[in-house]
Amino acid sequence: MLVDLHMHTEYSMDAQSPQTPLAKARAACARGLGIIAITDHLDFYHRHGPAENRDIEGCVQAVRAAKEAFAGRLELLAGIELGQVHADPAADAFLRTHAFDLVIGSLHVMPNDLDIYFHDFASLDCDAFLREYFAQVLAMERHGGFDVLAHLDYPLRVMRREGYTPSFDQYMDRISDVLRECVSRGYALELNAAGLDGWQKKVGPPDCVLYEYRRLGGRRISIGSDSHKLSNVGRGVEECAALAKRFGFDSVTVFRGRRPEQVPL
Ligand SMILES: [Zn+2]
Ligand SMILES: [Zn+2]
């Protein structure tokens, strides 16, 4: 079964517009996907209110409407990608008042509220930065409230600069802590295809992460294109499935009404 459990529509600030949930579902059908989740952004911050969604209430309604409209043709899961659920109690309040099929937990910004992408790595201590990154992911996991741990390799995609190629190899102690928490709390570890656009030109996370996750008893994985435009719905999901199978995962975890079910790959 081809699934794409992470994608954005026009409601996400950084996504193509116009691009409605209905149009996204039509594109997914044309692409031959069996299950999709629409997971627009809502990011929480340490010092200011939530952002990154153009109209969160409109978004929630439009995704639910698309789910109903496609019932019987395409399984569309109503999701959301929450950034930094640990940064602001407003994230917990939001989750108490909105029902989703699945909630993706992401770490986009550091404690200074700046997206990892926008840091000036030429003038930063990249080693200290990555150690702090893993500490933040762990804090987010311990806070909880989500189902899928998204794109753990996000810094690898964006930290590259002249003379420096980021690698996770020397952080396996930190990564083990993050993955142990992932297993014990039942989060699905996401395989994300956005790396196809980056310098690595491949889906993530890197092999060392998947190997360690499996070794620690991790059995739940998720797969997502992280598509931000209509033209790349489902892109890379076959590569993600192939990567998962290479590490012994033969099913993907699909959350329906926040309850996990295994679906064969
Ligand atoms: Zn993200
Ligand atoms: Zn995303």
Side-chain angles (χ1 to χ4, degrees):
M1 166 89 69
L2 274 183
V3 306
D4 184 352
L5 305 175
H6 185 158
M7 65 176 71
H8 299 268
T9 74
E10 62 195 10
Y11 288 99
S12 294
M13 289 295 283
D14 61 348
Q16 176 192 31
S17 180
Q19 185 194 186
T20 63
L22 285 171
K24 206 78 174 182
R26 274 194 294 274
C29 286
R31 173 78 166 74
L33 297 171
I35 306 173
I36 67 165
I38 295 184
T39 55
D40 280 300
H41 288 298
L42 183 63
D43 276 54
F44 292 87
Y45 300 89
H46 300 267
R47 292 176 186 76
H48 58 87
E52 294 301 317
N53 194 297
R54 293 186 168 107
D55 169 12
I56 186 59
E57 297 306 330
C59 176
V60 168
Q61 283 177 23
V63 173
R64 280 189 201 143
K67 175 179 172 143
E68 283 175 28
F70 276 79
R73 282 187 285 167
L74 170 71
E75 183 173 2
L76 192 162
L77 302 171
I80 192 86
E81 179 181 6
L82 297 186
Q84 300 84 235
V85 289
H86 63 306
D88 182 351
D92 300 330
F94 176 78
L95 285 169
R96 275 196 299 274
T97 50
H98 296 78
F100 295 101
D101 284 308
L102 85 162
V103 177
I104 294 179
S106 296
L107 201 291
H108 296 131
V109 313
M110 298 298 275
N112 60 4
D113 284 343
L114 187 63
D115 196 298
I116 295 169
Y117 180 84
F118 291 112
H119 283 76
D120 175 19
F121 292 106
S123 61
L124 275 177
D125 177 344
C126 292
D127 176 61
F129 186 93
L130 278 173
R131 288 182 188 283
E132 178 60 23
Y133 167 75
F134 291 120
Q136 287 298 313
V137 174
L138 197 55
M140 186 180 82
E141 289 179 297
R142 288 181 174 153
H143 183 91
F146 56 93
D147 309 306
V148 174
L149 179 62
H151 50 58
L152 188 62
D153 56 328
Y154 181 45
L156 292 183
R157 292 193 338 236
V158 300
M159 284 181 74
R160 197 176 192 204
R161 63 167 163 80
E162 213 173 312
Y164 175 73
T165 301
S167 162
F168 275 0
D169 292 347
Q170 62 270 46
Y171 303 98
M172 284 317 295
D173 53 342
R174 308 293 171 114
I175 290 169
S176 294
D177 292 344
V178 164
L179 296 176
R180 213 172 278 116
E181 198 72 16
C182 184
V183 172
S184 71
R185 290 187 176 258
Y187 303 134
L189 182 71
E190 185 187 67
L191 280 68
N192 185 300
L196 291 170
D197 285 329
W199 62 274
Q200 297 162 298
K201 302 276 181 274
K202 62 178 187 181
V203 303
D207 289 2
C208 62
V209 172
L210 287 171
Y211 177 84
E212 182 68 356
Y213 180 60
R214 183 90 195 163
R215 191 185 72 81
L216 291 170
R219 293 296 179 268
R220 290 181 182 173
I221 56 143
S222 188
I223 286 177
S225 66
D226 213 345
S227 159
H228 280 65
K229 49 190 183 185
L230 266 184
S231 60
N232 64 7
V233 173
R235 194 179 71 138
V237 297
E238 290 95 341
E239 286 94 327
C240 290
L243 177 61
K245 285 177 184 168
R246 190 150 63 78
F247 283 89
F249 300 95
D250 54 12
S251 60
V252 60
T253 305
V254 173
F255 288 86
R256 297 175 172 118
R258 311 282 317 261
R259 275 196 292 276
E261 291 172 44
Q262 297 300 116
V263 171
L265 276 171

